[in-house]
Amino acid sequence: PRPQLESSSHVLIETYYAGIQYPDFLQAQGLYQVRPPLPFIPGLDVTGIIIEKGKDVVDLDIGDRVIATMTNHGGNGALSDI
């Protein structure tokens, strides 16, 4: 199912790339300063195209190419829907 926007200031991104960075590996080992509850879904960075936007988003449009850092759930989860 298609994810829903959690806020009128959020956008929905059709993901083309989600990276695994060094902090993701450290988090999985419990060695990073930010320790998400286990199990967690890694992935801090994501690129793609905006396919939906909340009514309060004024500086981005549907179809814009974007790169983003995941800030929900402690900064991970970019790989959740791939």
Side-chain angles (χ1 to χ4, degrees):
R2 183 176 174 155
Q4 300 297 311
L5 294 177
E6 295 181 9
S7 165
S8 61
S9 63
H10 287 184
V11 298
L12 183 61
I13 300 171
E14 182 177 341
T15 302
Y16 291 157
Y17 168 84
I20 295 289
Q21 305 298 335
Y22 188 63
D24 294 309
F25 290 107
L26 292 177
Q27 282 183 331
Q29 298 172 38
L31 301 174
Y32 196 63
Q33 61 265 28
V34 177
R35 293 183 176 94
L38 298 176
F40 80 103
I41 300 170
L44 182 62
D45 304 315
V46 61
T47 65
I49 293 180
I50 294 177
I51 58 173
E52 186 178 343
K53 69 178 193 169
K55 65 179 178 165
D56 295 332
V57 177
V58 296
D59 54 346
L60 298 168
D61 288 312
I62 293 175
D64 283 355
R65 296 185 309 171
V66 293
I67 183 169
T69 298
M70 304 299 288
T71 58
N72 62 327
H73 311 296
N76 48 49
L79 298 177
S80 63
D81 292 324
I82 294 182

